[in-house]
Amino acid sequence: MLITALVTWCAVAIPSLLALSQAPAWTWLPHLMLLPLILLVTNESQQSYGYTFRYWLLAVMAVLIQCAGFMLPSSVYLIYSVMLIAILTFYLSPMQSYCYIFFASLAYPLTQTLYWAQPLPWVETALFASFHLFSFVVSHRMREERAAKEQAQLANSQLLATQSLLGQSVSRQERLHLARELHDDVGHQLTSLIVNLDVARRTAQEPLKSQLQQSYTLARETLEKIRTLVSDKRTEQPLDLETVLTELIHHVPRIEISLTFQPHPVTQSLSHAHCILRACQESITNTLKHSNATKLHIEFGPSAAADFRMKITDNGTGAKHSEPGNGLLGLQERVRELKGDFAWQSSPEGFVVQVSFKETPVNE
């Protein structure tokens, strides 16, 4: 988009500036000021400034484009407007884009007839209105394709995170299954062997008795090692939330996500881990769809009122509606089923989700 925008600026600005070469220098300002604005708006990196700043840049661009119409009695400046609607489509709703097309198409004939005292340019007005619509349709299609690609990337991240959580859960089940098999099968057979060796060593004569004594001692030592191994395998391995959430955020598009752990987040409960994963997934999805945020922060740690607390914040525009949607309501139900607390808060500075549980171990 950057290269296309620069080519468009050159195609309009160079002939316009040549035509204004004998005019006062201030008449060049709309064209010259548009160049840095185009560079800022079409910059793909969103780490230095967010959407709110871009909205202001786009508003200034729209004003400068209309000002350019008062510098020359020419319709060439409307090419700027066609370029602008292609950019606006990625930031505004379709209805807002249609409104801009209507007012831009209306401003041109008014400027030509009222300011420049030219005949009403019906043909040019209709032509550029159709160009605006074509630019909008193409950009809207690109926006839908980008949204579909982002949704696929997000779904892939969620799948990898769920796979990581299930992998840890399966590993715990395998450890428990192995412990049971060792205890019920190998342990019982060794116990029978020890009993038989004990009887044999008591009734045997030398030198066979010494050999049976060694076998008896070795069998008892082996049984003790198996009991220790069974006890170790029966100890539940905690679920590592950092590994799961790192998989979740690794491929999330368009926003910068950071994680803070105090202390390292682990839990013995698969239900709590699954609920935490779903809370992060829902927050990331809402941020991508609704908030226009560029950053999202996930913080873990204990608090005075709970053993475990997770806080998710973004720097977006907040929620437009005061009532939570189905996603937040479903998440609230999940948390309350586990006797936890769920809260959310929306403000112009961003959206905040908090989840807390009691008696959920998070320490290593």
Side-chain angles (χ1 to χ4, degrees):
M1 181 180 290
L2 175 60
I3 296 177
T4 304
L6 289 177
V7 171
T8 302
W9 180 85
C10 292
V12 178
I14 292 176
S16 298
L17 292 176
L18 291 175
L20 293 170
S21 58
Q22 303 300 322
W26 61 268
T27 60
W28 301 4
L29 288 179
H31 300 280
L32 297 179
M33 292 177 64
L34 278 172
L35 179 58
L37 294 179
I38 290 173
L39 295 176
L40 289 173
V41 170
T42 56
N43 179 22
E44 294 296 331
S45 174
Q46 299 174 358
Q47 309 307 324
S48 56
Y49 48 89
Y51 276 84
T52 302
F53 183 66
R54 289 173 184 249
Y55 286 135
W56 282 106
L57 293 179
L58 291 170
V60 174
M61 286 182 64
V63 173
L64 290 175
I65 290 172
Q66 296 306 318
C67 290
F70 292 94
M71 303 300 131
L72 278 175
S74 171
S75 61
V76 69
Y77 79 95
L78 287 178
I79 299 177
Y80 282 145
S81 186
V82 175
M83 173 194 67
L84 181 60
I85 190 61
I87 300 174
L88 286 175
T89 306
F90 288 91
Y91 296 90
L92 304 180
S93 66
M95 183 56 65
Q96 291 171 328
S97 299
Y98 287 138
C99 290
Y100 173 80
I101 293 174
F102 173 77
F103 286 112
S105 301
L106 182 63
Y108 171 67
L110 292 178
T111 303
Q112 294 297 308
T113 55
L114 299 180
Y115 185 80
W116 294 108
Q118 299 287 337
L120 192 62
W122 288 108
V123 176
E124 290 181 340
T125 301
L127 184 63
F128 276 101
S130 64
F131 286 166
H132 279 80
L133 289 173
F134 177 77
S135 178
F136 165 75
V137 170
V138 173
S139 296
H140 185 66
R141 180 61 178 172
M142 292 175 59
R143 179 181 180 179
E144 290 180 340
E145 291 178 354
R146 187 182 74 172
K149 182 179 179 181
E150 290 177 351
Q151 191 64 31
Q153 290 177 328
L154 182 59
N156 182 60
S157 297
Q158 293 175 352
L159 179 62
L160 291 175
T162 303
Q163 184 181 25
S164 175
L165 181 60
L166 289 177
Q168 294 185 47
S169 176
V170 170
S171 177
R172 294 204 310 177
Q173 293 297 325
E174 288 295 329
R175 287 168 60 91
L176 182 59
H177 175 72
L178 178 60
R180 288 172 178 171
E181 291 298 319
L182 286 174
H183 178 271
D184 297 341
D185 191 3
V186 180
H188 288 173
Q189 291 182 7
L190 274 175
T191 301
S192 299
L193 177 61
I194 290 172
V195 171
N196 292 332
L197 288 173
D198 186 36
V199 173
R201 74 185 176 90
R202 292 178 185 275
T203 58
Q205 301 296 324
E206 294 292 348
L208 183 59
K209 184 175 182 178
S210 298
Q211 295 177 352
L212 289 173
Q213 178 64 37
Q214 292 177 359
S215 298
Y216 172 78
T217 303
L218 181 61
R220 288 191 62 88
E221 291 175 354
T222 303
L223 181 61
E224 288 300 322
K225 290 180 179 179
I226 288 180
R227 286 175 175 173
T228 302
L229 181 61
V230 168
S231 299
D232 178 67
K233 293 296 182 182
R234 281 189 175 276
T235 302
E236 286 194 353
Q237 186 179 11
L239 299 170
D240 189 351
L241 295 176
E242 181 180 7
T243 302
V244 175
L245 296 181
T246 300
E247 288 286 355
L248 176 64
I249 70 173
H250 186 62
H251 298 288
V252 174
R254 197 154 42 91
I255 57 175
E256 177 187 357
I257 303 179
S258 57
L259 297 172
T260 300
F261 307 113
Q262 297 178 353
H264 188 89
V266 294
T267 178
Q268 299 286 358
S269 171
L270 179 60
S271 299
H272 286 83
H274 186 257
C275 180
I276 293 165
L277 175 60
R278 288 290 178 259
C280 293
Q281 289 177 347
E282 180 65 24
S283 297
I284 292 173
T285 300
N286 288 340
T287 299
L288 285 172
K289 286 184 177 180
H290 307 300
S291 73
N292 289 332
T294 58
K295 295 182 180 180
L296 185 141
H297 181 64
I298 304 174
E299 178 184 359
F300 289 88
S303 66
D307 299 313
F308 174 87
R309 179 184 63 87
M310 178 180 67
K311 183 178 181 181
I312 306 174
T313 58
D314 65 41
N315 64 342
T317 55
K320 297 180 180 179
H321 306 287
S322 58
E323 295 297 326
N326 292 328
L328 286 177
L329 289 176
L331 183 56
Q332 185 180 52
E333 293 169 356
R334 285 178 182 271
V335 174
R336 290 182 176 176
E337 285 177 358
L338 298 174
K339 310 300 181 183
D341 295 322
F342 176 82
W344 64 275
Q345 182 180 4
S346 178
S347 68
E349 289 76 27
F351 197 83
V352 180
V353 172
Q354 293 192 72
V355 177
S356 58
F357 297 105
K358 290 186 177 181
E359 299 179 358
T360 302
V362 295
N363 294 322
E364 290 183 297

